[in-house]
Structure formats: C-alpha cells, structure tokens
Amino acid sequence: LFKAEVEDQRGAYATGVLVLIACGALVTAFEKKIAFQHQTSRGWRAVSFVSFLIYGLIALVFTLTMLAVTIRSPSGLGISLCFILAILAMSIISRAWRADELRTVGFDFHDEESKFLWDSLRLADFPILVPVRPGRHSHDEKEQQIRTEHQLALEADIVLLEIGVDDPSDFFQRLMIEVVRDEGRYVIKVTNGVSTPHAIAAIALEMSRYSKPPALHFDWPEIDMLTASWSYLAFGEGNIAWKVRELIHRAEKDPTKRPRVVVG
C-alpha cells in the first residue's frame, strides 16, 4: 500500500536529507555574513568575507540540488505537506475542542505593592472593569471613549485592565499581575498570558469571588462575526467579548456572582 521499497522512496528520503543540509548551510552562510558585517579590522574583514563566500557557495550548491531533487521527485514534498496540514488541522481542532477551559492555573505578582492593591480591589465593590489593549490608546483616551460610548457617569469608578500575550502557543497560563495608580485610576497590567479572553475572564471571576461582580465594558468589534470566530479558533484572537461572556457563564454557575459583559 505504501510502496515501502528503497527505489520507490529514495526521492522522498533524498529530499528530506537535502532540506536539512541546505537549511544548515544557509544558516551558516548568514552567520558568516553577520560576522563579516561586524568586523572592524581590515584583515579580519577580508578573512570573514572569504569565509562568507565559501559557505555561501556551499549553501547555493545544496539549495539548487535540493530544488532539483524536489522537482524531479516531488513525493517528499507531498509527504511533508501532508504532515504540515495534519499538524495544523489537529492544532485547530484541539484549540476549538478545549476553547471553553479557563486555562488559568494561578496568579503571580510583580511586587508586594501590587499584591496589596490586588487584594484591596478584590474586596472593593468597584463597578466597572475596562479591558484595554496595551499601546493602542492612552489611558485617558480609553476612559473618555468608554464613558462617552457607554454613557457612564463621571463619578463611576473605572479600573483599566491591560492584557499582554507572551506565548500563545502555550495552553495554560499563570498570570503576572502588576497594579499601578495612573492619574487617580487603577490600572491592572497583566503579562505572561497565553489568551486574552481567558485572562480577562479569570481576573473578572477572581474579582467577583469576595465582592460585588464588576461589569466588563468592551468596544464593539470592527470585524464580522465569522472572521472574528475563525481568528479566535485559529490564533486565539478576535471576538473577545463574546468569548469572555461564554467562559464566565461556564465557570460560574451562580448568576448573582457572574460579572456582566457590556458591549457598546
């Protein structure tokens, strides 16, 4: 069925070996080029340049050989593409299958002051928690935008929540919390996250554990529902407000302890 004969599979085997050798040769050639660019002595620059030419020629030979073998016997390329498609498909299916898990295993704190302010906020009945993407808007602009679009009173306390995603390829996250004061408002800065919706939901649920549940206020997304859903399933981004609400409803069975999600 698989034609497991040396003659039938030698093209695929040669392709795999040549890809490894060609990639190694290219990396070495680039490393020699960088070394040449960083040399300051004229003598060493000449040696580095000759070295770069030699390794560059070797890389060129192996790359051309790899392309020739691949064109002549494309079975190796076909097998590798099948593996790549299988890995991508299983990754997307796995992410979609486990998308409803909270994925947050704990919280760490930047310093003792952040821990103290975090505990204080957990016990306070502040009404509004506003997620904000770092670097997109200033805190003043975001607060003004939310107060205007959501018709919030000036006396209503707002806590901003900044979520930073470090390595989305991980599944579980242990969030690093830093709480700071910024012109009279509290800002919760979160790093070491792997998914923005899961981090927001975990923090909102933790804030609701010992006090009145806050309301999460989001902007209306600027992409359509299908694109947002696909972006989340494939890359863990998009349609954040909808996903946060779903995670909260699945994690908290008591409706009185669920943070409300407001989109406007």
Side-chain angles (χ1 to χ4, degrees), residues 58-76:
I58 295 173
L60 179 62
V61 170
F62 276 113
T63 301
L64 293 177
T65 306
M66 176 195 70
L67 294 175
V69 172
T70 302
I71 294 173
R72 182 178 178 181
S73 179
S75 58

Side-chain angles (χ1 to χ4, degrees), residues 109-130:
F109 298 93
H110 185 266
D111 49 35
E112 290 298 325
E113 182 180 3
S114 295
K115 178 67 165 62
F116 173 77
L117 293 176
W118 169 264
D119 291 335
S120 301
L121 289 174
R122 286 198 307 164
L123 299 175
D125 290 333
F126 66 89
I128 300 169
L129 188 62
V130 179

Side-chain angles (χ1 to χ4, degrees), residues 240-259:
I240 292 177
W242 167 79
K243 192 60 193 178
V244 169
R245 182 184 183 277
E246 183 180 6
L247 289 169
I248 290 175
H249 275 244
R250 289 181 177 272
E252 180 55 68
K253 304 303 181 184
D254 184 0
T256 63
K257 297 298 292 182
R258 289 175 185 164

Side-chain angles (χ1 to χ4, degrees), residues 3-120:
K3 296 182 179 180
E5 298 288 342
V6 174
E7 289 297 321
D8 293 328
Q9 296 297 326
R10 65 179 183 177
Y13 176 78
T15 301
V17 172
L18 284 170
V19 166
L20 293 175
I21 296 176
C23 288
L26 286 171
V27 170
T28 304
F30 280 119
E31 191 274 335
K32 295 298 181 181
K33 179 182 178 182
I34 293 173
F36 164 70
Q37 292 174 340
H38 284 78
Q39 290 293 339
T40 56
S41 171
R42 176 176 297 182
W44 282 110
R45 281 182 63 86
V47 173
S48 297
F49 181 71
V50 172
S51 178
F52 164 65
L53 288 180
I54 294 173
Y55 283 100
L57 179 61
I58 295 173
L60 179 62
V61 170
F62 276 113
T63 301
L64 293 177
T65 306
M66 176 195 70
L67 294 175
V69 172
T70 302
I71 294 173
R72 182 178 178 181
S73 179
S75 58
L77 179 62
I79 293 172
S80 64
L81 289 177
C82 288
F83 273 106
I84 292 172
L85 290 176
I87 291 172
L88 290 176
M90 290 304 299
S91 299
I92 294 173
I93 292 172
S94 174
R95 182 183 291 274
W97 186 270
R98 304 184 65 185
D100 295 328
E101 298 181 22
L102 201 55
R103 298 172 59 177
T104 303
V105 296
F107 302 92
D108 295 320
F109 298 93
H110 185 266
D111 49 35
E112 290 298 325
E113 182 180 3
S114 295
K115 178 67 165 62
F116 173 77
L117 293 176
W118 169 264
D119 291 335
S120 301

